[in-house]
């Protein structure tokens, strides 16, 4: 399945839509204060009856992800290979989950299973954004 953000200039306030019928899968809503981003909330637009619409939250100030009520700090789930500003990032939610490699190259973020060439997801950076504005990749499921 291929999905797109419907607001390429602001993915932190957008809807994620299926390309074949334009239906909405998720809404992304970010709240800000004077010091920057507070929260980015990923809302499921088609939840299972009885489930919460909130699929995930990024707590920017605390540098923490929350997915279906479970919290993990960025440093707990992210490792970095290579230099400070280059090289892939590795993301793993827990010991029982798969590890993904996230790398930025050629104006896009590419997510692959670690030690594999199989691409799990791609995110193309919208035209006009500089690389410094893209240091923190969108979270990956």
């Amino acid at each position: 399945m291929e999905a797109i953000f419907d607001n390429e200039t602001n993915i932190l306030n957008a809807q994620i839509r299926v390309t074949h019928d334009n239906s909405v899968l998720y809404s992304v809503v970010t709240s800000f204060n004077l010091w920057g981003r507070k929260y980015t909330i990923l809302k499921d637009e088609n939840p299972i009856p009885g489930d919460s619409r909130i699929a995930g939250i990024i707590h920017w100030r605390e540098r923490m992800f929350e997915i279906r009520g479970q919290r993990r700090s960025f440093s707990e789930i992210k490792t970095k290979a290579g230099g400070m500003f280059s090289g892939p990032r590795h993301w793993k939610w827990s010991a029982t989950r798969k590890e993904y490699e996230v790398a930025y190259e050629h104006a896009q973020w590419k997510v692959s299973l670690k030690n594999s060439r199989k691409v799990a997801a791609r995110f193309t950076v919208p035209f006009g954004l500089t690389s410094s504005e893209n240091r923190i990749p969108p979270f990956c499921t």
Side-chain angles (χ1 to χ4, degrees):
M1 171 178 32
E2 185 177 350
I4 60 166
F5 287 93
D6 68 356
N7 184 350
E8 290 183 348
T9 60
N10 185 1
I11 63 165
L12 296 178
N13 286 296
Q15 293 180 321
I16 300 171
R17 297 177 175 271
V18 179
T19 55
H20 74 273
D21 68 0
N22 208 33
S23 63
V24 178
L25 294 173
Y26 295 96
S27 293
V28 182
V29 179
T30 301
S31 63
F32 293 84
N33 64 17
L34 293 174
W35 299 277
R37 295 177 287 224
K38 285 177 60 175
Y39 305 103
T40 297
I41 300 172
L42 181 68
K43 295 180 182 178
D44 188 342
E45 294 300 332
N46 303 292
I48 297 171
D51 275 5
S52 171
R53 283 190 61 211
I54 297 177
I57 303 171
I58 301 175
H59 301 269
W60 292 104
R61 306 273 298 160
E62 296 89 356
R63 298 187 51 79
M64 186 171 290
F65 283 114
E66 181 177 338
I67 298 176
R68 302 280 184 206
Q70 295 182 27
R71 288 180 167 218
R72 303 275 192 283
S73 69
F74 290 1
S75 61
E76 190 179 346
I77 62 175
K78 181 180 88 168
T79 58
K80 182 119 177 36
M84 181 177 256
F85 296 109
S86 63
R89 293 149 175 85
H90 297 146
W91 295 81
K92 187 172 184 176
W93 185 253
S94 69
T96 60
R97 298 297 211 170
K98 295 176 183 174
E99 186 167 5
Y100 293 90
E101 181 176 288
V102 180
Y104 181 78
E105 55 188 33
H106 307 296
Q108 70 177 352
W109 291 98
K110 184 173 77 174
V111 181
S112 306
L113 288 170
K114 187 177 175 189
N115 300 323
S116 169
R117 291 180 180 243
K118 183 177 180 184
V119 175
R122 270 184 223 279
F123 174 75
T124 302
V125 177
F127 177 78
L129 295 180
T130 65
S131 61
S132 64
E133 292 171 305
N134 297 300
R135 289 283 180 225
I136 300 175
F139 58 94
C140 308
T141 58

